[in-house]
Amino acid sequence: MPFKIKDVEGGNKMKIKIYSTPACPYCKMVKKYLKEKELEFDDIDISKNQEAAHEMVEKSGQMSVPVIDIDGKIIIGFDREKLEKLIKK
C-alpha cells in the first residue's frame, strides 16, 4: 500500500520494501515510523507470499520479520538508528 512520497536530500526517491506479517508488532512499528516520515514503501506480507518469503531469506539470511530493504541495504528488525541513517542519505 503506497503512502505519500517524500523526496530525500538531493531530490532522490528511495525504494523501500518491508517484508512483514500481520501479527508482527515490530512490523507495525516500522510501518508507522515510515508513514510518520512520509516515506513510500511496499509492504510485502510473507505469510501470504512464499516467493517473497524466499526472497527475504535470500537477501537477509533471516526468517524473522521485519526485514527492511532500502535501496538494496538490509535492516533486520525495527532499528530506528539504522533507519535514520539510511533515510537521510
Side-chain angles (χ1 to χ4, degrees):
M1 171 197 284
F3 296 91
K4 278 171 87 176
I5 297 172
K6 180 178 180 182
D7 289 339
V8 292
E9 290 178 26
N12 296 321
K13 293 186 176 101
M14 294 178 290
K15 176 82 173 145
I16 303 173
K17 286 184 183 179
I18 301 173
Y19 297 91
S20 65
T21 61
C24 166
Y26 292 104
C27 299
K28 292 174 186 173
M29 289 169 64
V30 75
K31 289 183 261 189
K32 180 180 181 217
Y33 172 80
L34 292 173
K35 287 177 193 177
E36 288 171 355
K37 297 287 184 182
E38 298 181 338
L39 294 169
E40 183 179 89
F41 58 87
D42 292 324
D43 183 13
I44 303 165
D45 181 353
I46 64 161
S47 70
K48 295 180 182 174
N49 185 334
Q50 291 302 308
E51 187 176 320
H54 179 71
E55 178 182 288
M56 179 193 79
V57 172
E58 288 292 315
K59 287 182 178 186
S60 69
Q62 299 290 314
M63 293 181 68
S64 60
V65 289
V67 170
I68 305 127
D69 180 340
I70 301 177
D71 290 335
K73 305 270 195 247
I74 302 300
I75 299 173
I76 299 165
F78 178 44
D79 187 328
R80 187 182 301 265
E81 186 176 322
K82 287 182 183 176
L83 282 167
E84 286 286 337
K85 287 179 183 176
L86 288 179
I87 64 174
K88 288 186 178 181
K89 291 187 176 181

